[in-house]
Amino acid sequence: MNDGSYQAVIAGVFSALTLLVLAYLESVNNYGVWLMAPFGATAVLVFGIPDSPLAKAKNVIAGHLITAFIAVVFVTYIGSDPINIATATGLAITAMMLTKTVHPAAGANPILIISSGQSWDFLIMPVLIGTVFIVVCGYLSTWLIVKVTLYCEHKKTA
């Protein structure tokens, strides 16, 4: 296997394990939601292209929190009709761009949160806890990719 293949396998395995942990935690307790659909797209960025600015911890965590906050404000104070879903999504994109925390997966948060009528608790779990967990697992994955790459390079020169 070449370096790219190792990277792809490590990214896929870490992505699957990370999402498995979140899905498992959701299935075994009554503490709320641990997993949300946008985390699949977040995993693609964090594990698949970790050097992308869109996959940086600031973008992942703040991007999700900002868009989720806007969505919960709409659910709580404004309403959940189609025009509000679209408006919240547009505001969320604008806010991410202005704060330099663009994370494409977070753009789905207003649609998900407003459509499902989530409350303020959703900001903590799954948004904050889930994104921090994904970022930490992403760091571990990147560390392992670097180690495997160095090992392969050393093996070639030895």
Side-chain angles (χ1 to χ4, degrees), residues 18-93:
T18 300
L19 296 174
L20 172 65
V21 168
L22 292 173
Y24 177 75
L25 289 171
E26 185 169 330
S27 73
V28 296
N29 67 47
N30 295 323
Y31 295 118
V33 179
W34 288 79
L35 186 65
M36 60 181 192
F39 286 171
T42 295
V44 171
L45 292 168
V46 170
F47 298 104
I49 48 173
D51 293 332
S52 168
L54 304 173
K56 299 301 177 200
K58 175 183 102 168
N59 293 60
V60 173
I61 297 167
H64 274 292
L65 279 173
I66 289 166
T67 60
F69 176 82
I70 290 168
V72 174
V73 166
F74 269 76
V75 168
T76 306
Y77 300 110
I78 299 170
S80 59
D81 60 35
I83 194 147
N84 287 331
I85 292 171
T87 303
T89 303
L91 285 173
I93 292 166

